[in-house]
Amino acid sequence: MNINPVASGQNQLKAMNFPLEATFHVKIEKVKAKKTMTTATAQQTETQLPPLISRDILFGNPERTSPSLSPNGKYLAYIAPDDKNVLQVWLRTVGQEDDRQLTADKKRGIRGFFWTYSPDQLIYAQDSDGDENWHLYLVNIQSNIVRDLTPFQGVRAQVVDLDHNFPEELLVGMNLKNPQVFDVYHVNLKTGAVEFHTENPGNIVGWTADSQFQIRAASATTPDGGYDLLYRETPEKDWETLRHWGPDEEGGAVFFSNDGKTLYIVGNHDANAARLIAFDLATRSETVIAEDPQYDVGGVLAHPTTRNIEAVSFYKDKEEWIFLDSEIEADLNAIKAIRPGEFGIRRILTDEKWLVSFVDDDGPVSYYVYDRASKTNTFLFTNKPKLEGLQLAPMEPMSFTARDGLTIHGYLTKPVGVSTPVPTVMLVHGGPWARDFWGYDSEAQWLANRGYAVLQLNFRGSTGYGKAFVNAANREWAGKMHDDLIDGVNWLVENNIAQRDKIAIMGGSYGGYATLVGLTFTPEVFACGVDIVGPSNLVTLMQSIPPYWEPIRANFYHRVGNLETEEEFLKSRSPLFFVDRIQKPLLIAQGANDPRVKQAESEQIVEAMKQAGKPIEYALYTDEGHGFARPENRLHFYAIAEEFLAKYLGGRFEPINEISGHSGVVQSFS
């Protein structure tokens, strides 16, 4: 869940993380402790590489993370594990050491929360075993009473808005009446009463309230696969269309000005990259506030009460800020002087103190409280102190020119202490309408510590690089999108980074699909593949999408291929139908409750490989969805994955040992 107003204004594809997120009569193998110690290539001896970093440090729960100051600045809440290693929300009074646990989640752990403007109350979201039917829970920090604000079975809740002028109220989107569409409901935080607020005509995928807590703007899908920006002067009036974005464009509302006369929007109409624009609702004129010819606008920093825009960022190789207010520029310069790394800010209503986080590429996230008046700071903690002092690998921005002339950007992480060329893992991000960023990446550090170089490419279709770059991926799943990865392989070899016969491909969601494509469409390129919750058949993927993605189906058809008219084309881009080409070993991991990429997506290709006599390892996690939230499951999966990679790439691995509490069922076919 993300209540950042910038995120809510983007094309809905960016928020999906892919469209993306049979019974076998075989011998079930329980993973046993291995007596074998680590292995190494001839070039990577134990004395050259740093000591092995345990998977528990890399993939276990953080000690403390995601701190947030209450709106009045009196309390600090954060996430930390309880005595059963389940993530909970904890609380301390600012200036004291009276930390105490607020929540008591039994199993899955709480991964995000936010303060309300109602005194002493915060909200967190939780689903059931990864089904993504999120409920919103209200926590009273004085009584520790937790209340389900959206107690509806099989319904998904998402925050629309909360406002300091209406501290006892919350606007929530829920697909309560129709699983395909989200109407807006008003929730009274004092009584818990839920009332119907605004009806969705069926095609609205995003809502925007003004400073008076009235829904006055919306993003609606259109039959051509594009989006309309809808507006109404008052809730009593009809919706009208302010602007249309076609299927190859992106745009949406960000937020209203305090007086309600200006709607700030993000859009890439009349430009290549998305710009921040002030839309005058009286004159219907647009004024560009910030733009870059190549990179989309990323973050918007606005005052918490006046809503005045003070700074805008663009994410290039790293994040870069444009300052629109001299006072905020002085503050951000003071923050940058605290320590290296990319910073993030959480502000309170009085705006006297900020909660600042710093992300590094070779260490944990660090948190500080920044005092605006004195320009001083107080260190709080890091999320994973055990990472401090370890020999972690830097992440280096890189780029190359693809075979058709397009510039592809990405990040390279090389193992510490050894010279290249080395075995390498192509780590492919999900989405595909997402991107990799600079900063600490647990998977990249894990692989580098085991002796591998890691290449993370923002292949065509990745977001942030303008619409021409996104549109270059239209209808190119298993086509030019995959060519970019192969061009990346060649770049690795040509620059003496990788050994050509020791390159693996690995990824989750779309990255899992890319892994399957790599082993079927280019069977001789990769030494092995690791697919995490990746679709194997684009036809069955589209047939089984969650009902609440129905409004964006037209855009998905435009970007990928039309299920109604182009089934054969989609089959031609589906790895399931090319299993006979597979030459190299494959490991597949799947969550049984995944609503985006169903369990059948993995099991049908496992079955096809079994029928074709192809070796396959398959790990099913019975209490997970689109990814692995429980640390026991993460530790189990990465244990079998690193032994798999060591077997076929020759890197190091930590013995599996006993991992209690995981739900993984491992099946091996040979």
Side-chain angles (χ1 to χ4, degrees):
M1 181 182 55
N2 191 331
I3 59 171
N4 183 330
V6 177
S8 67
Q10 301 299 312
N11 186 314
Q12 297 302 307
L13 288 172
K14 294 185 179 181
M16 290 189 296
N17 188 29
F18 187 84
L20 303 199
E21 202 158 233
T23 302
F24 296 100
H25 300 284
V26 297
K27 180 181 178 182
I28 306 298
E29 299 181 346
K30 182 177 180 181
V31 178
K32 300 178 181 179
K34 301 289 183 179
K35 294 183 180 179
T36 307
M37 296 305 290
T38 59
T39 62
T41 65
Q43 293 177 311
Q44 300 173 350
T45 67
E46 293 293 332
T47 56
Q48 291 175 309
L49 285 165
L52 276 178
I53 302 172
S54 75
R55 288 185 298 271
D56 189 63
I57 292 176
L58 293 165
F59 299 114
N61 280 334
E63 291 191 17
R64 287 178 291 186
T65 190
S66 306
S68 180
L69 290 166
S70 60
N72 58 14
K74 185 178 179 180
Y75 298 104
L76 177 78
Y78 59 91
I79 292 175
D82 61 15
D83 57 1
K84 295 182 176 61
N85 199 31
V86 178
L87 292 177
Q88 310 288 356
V89 181
W90 292 66
L91 184 82
R92 74 164 60 155
T93 305
V94 172
Q96 300 183 31
E97 295 186 3
D98 57 352
D99 302 47
R100 58 188 175 90
Q101 182 180 327
L102 287 179
T103 60
D105 190 79
K106 299 301 182 185
K107 179 182 180 183
R108 195 156 177 79
I110 296 166
R111 286 152 285 158
F113 72 92
F114 58 91
W115 287 96
T116 73
Y117 295 107
S118 177
D120 304 333
Q121 296 192 111
L122 54 82
I123 290 175
Y124 71 88
Q126 186 59 285
D127 68 346
S128 177
D129 287 344
D131 66 1
E132 298 188 10
N133 287 325
W134 300 100
H135 287 221
L136 301 177
Y137 294 88
L138 184 71
V139 183
N140 186 298
I141 66 172
Q142 302 303 337
S143 66
N144 280 32
I145 293 175
V146 178
R147 181 170 59 193
D148 188 349
L149 295 174
T150 58
F152 308 106
Q153 187 69 26
V155 170
R156 177 185 174 108
Q158 53 192 31
V159 173
V160 173
D161 203 9
L162 68 165
D163 192 281
H164 66 280
N165 291 316
F166 303 86
E168 302 287 351
E169 302 176 49
L170 177 70
L171 294 179
V172 179
M174 286 190 287
N175 55 346
L176 185 57
K177 295 197 305 179
N178 181 342
Q180 295 185 0
V181 298
F182 290 80
D183 300 305
V184 180
Y185 293 81
H186 176 276
V187 179
N188 187 305
L189 298 179
K190 182 177 291 185
T191 66
V194 178
E195 297 178 352
F196 189 83
H197 188 276
T198 304
E199 183 177 9
N200 190 331
N203 62 337
I204 290 178
V205 292
W207 305 93
T208 305
D210 65 9
S211 62
Q212 301 306 305
F213 221 51
Q214 299 295 324
I215 299 289
R216 292 178 56 213
S219 294
T221 59
T222 54
D224 65 350
Y227 294 85
D228 279 344
L229 175 62
L230 304 183
Y231 166 74
R232 59 186 184 185
E233 189 175 350
T234 68
E236 292 73 34
K237 295 193 175 180
D238 293 333
W239 292 106
E240 56 179 307
T241 301
L242 293 183
R243 167 165 291 285
H244 175 69
W245 289 281
D248 288 328
E249 297 177 315
E250 298 178 356
V254 181
F255 57 85
F256 284 91
S257 61
N258 245 6
D259 61 11
K261 296 180 179 179
T262 301
L263 177 61
Y264 297 106
I265 66 173
V266 167
N268 57 20
H269 54 281
D270 304 324
N272 174 54
R275 306 175 293 175
L276 179 63
I277 296 169
F279 193 105
D280 188 304
L281 295 168
T283 64
R284 305 297 166 95
S285 60
E286 296 182 356
T287 302
V288 176
I289 298 174
E291 64 180 330
D292 184 276
Q294 180 179 349
Y295 296 93
D296 298 327
V297 63
V300 176
L301 193 63
H303 191 277
T305 57
T306 68
R307 298 187 176 218
N308 292 333
I309 297 175
E310 299 169 320
V312 180
S313 73
F314 295 86
Y315 208 103
K316 302 181 181 181
D317 285 341
K318 298 181 181 180
E319 189 171 37
E320 298 181 11
W321 285 90
I322 294 176
F323 302 107
L324 306 177
D325 179 282
S326 58
E327 185 176 353
I328 216 75
E329 182 175 7
D331 285 313
L332 296 187
N333 285 334
I335 286 171
K336 286 191 287 186
I338 295 174
R339 57 163 299 142
E342 290 188 353
F343 61 85
I345 297 169
R346 292 188 178 190
R347 303 165 79 169
I348 63 175
L349 277 177
T350 61
D351 213 26
E352 297 170 344
K353 295 183 185 297
W354 293 353
L355 198 297
V356 183
S357 60
F358 286 90
V359 174
D360 293 313
D361 58 343
D362 58 356
V365 181
S366 303
Y367 299 100
Y368 295 78
V369 173
Y370 170 73
D371 184 279
R372 293 195 71 192
S374 63
K375 300 286 192 292
T376 58
N377 65 86
T378 303
F379 173 74
L380 288 175
F381 49 76
T382 64
N383 69 330
K384 287 193 171 186
K386 291 181 180 178
L387 289 173
E388 298 173 31
L390 298 179
Q391 291 180 272
L392 299 174
M395 177 183 281
E396 307 166 9
M398 51 73 65
S399 65
F400 63 83
T401 302
R403 65 189 68 180
D404 63 353
L406 201 62
T407 299
I408 307 297
H409 295 269
Y411 301 95
L412 176 68
T413 304
K414 293 184 290 188
V416 175
V418 296
S419 59
T420 56
V422 292
T424 300
V425 176
M426 175 80 69
L427 190 58
V428 187
H429 70 69
W433 305 287
R435 61 161 289 174
D436 281 314
F437 297 90
W438 179 88
Y440 177 82
D441 185 297
S442 56
E443 286 185 325
Q445 293 296 336
W446 162 64
L447 292 166
N449 180 257
R450 272 50 178 168
Y452 309 119
V454 184
L455 184 60
Q456 296 170 276
L457 290 182
N458 287 325
F459 48 87
R460 71 189 67 208
S462 302
T463 54
Y465 298 94
K467 67 185 179 188
F469 194 79
V470 171
N471 295 338
N474 288 352
R475 302 173 60 79
E476 292 295 343
W477 289 40
K480 293 181 180 179
M481 296 169 76
H482 187 62
D483 289 344
D484 292 342
L485 302 182
I486 301 303
D487 289 348
V489 167
N490 293 332
W491 179 87
L492 285 166
V493 175
E494 291 164 3
N495 285 274
N496 203 41
I497 296 164
Q499 302 165 259
R500 186 174 286 279
D501 62 343
K502 294 289 184 180
I503 302 174
I505 184 168
M506 173 177 177
S509 196
Y510 176 85
Y513 165 83
T515 296
L516 298 178
V517 169
L519 267 60
T520 51
F521 284 70
T522 51
E524 298 179 355
V525 172
F526 298 101
C528 60
V530 180
D531 156 30
I532 310 165
V533 297
S536 61
N537 182 353
L538 297 183
V539 174
T540 52
L541 173 72
M542 291 189 181
Q543 290 172 339
S544 63
I545 64 172
Y548 42 82
W549 284 356
E550 198 60 38
I552 60 170
R553 183 182 287 273
N555 191 281
F556 199 50
Y557 282 6
H558 176 77
R559 297 280 187 193
V560 185
N562 193 311
L563 177 62
E564 309 303 325
T565 61
E566 299 179 300
E567 183 171 328
E568 290 305 313
F569 171 74
L570 293 172
K571 286 182 177 180
S572 74
R573 302 299 177 91
S574 298
L576 176 65
F577 301 103
F578 302 95
V579 163
D580 61 303
R581 298 180 182 176
I582 294 179
Q583 302 174 14
K584 304 299 173 60
L586 175 62
L587 168 64
I588 295 178
Q590 177 68 44
N593 304 311
D594 192 338
R596 309 183 191 196
V597 179
K598 300 292 195 298
Q599 181 178 337
E601 286 298 318
S602 289
E603 298 205 336
Q604 62 191 357
I605 195 167
V606 169
E607 177 65 19
M609 292 186 69
K610 185 181 72 168
Q611 294 297 328
K614 304 282 185 178
I616 177 71
E617 294 183 41
Y618 177 46
L620 177 68
Y621 294 86
T622 59
D623 57 359
E624 293 286 7
H626 199 61
F628 310 136
R630 296 183 59 235
E632 300 88 345
N633 292 333
R634 290 198 303 272
L635 292 172
H636 179 263
F637 166 70
Y638 287 110
I640 62 176
E642 75 172 50
E643 186 168 335
F644 176 85
L645 290 170
K647 183 176 181 180
Y648 298 109
L649 293 186
R652 309 190 298 176
F653 68 92
E654 177 187 5
I656 290 179
N657 299 320
E658 189 66 31
I659 303 170
S660 62
H662 73 81
S663 68
V665 178
V666 180
Q667 305 169 342
S668 296
F669 307 99
S670 57

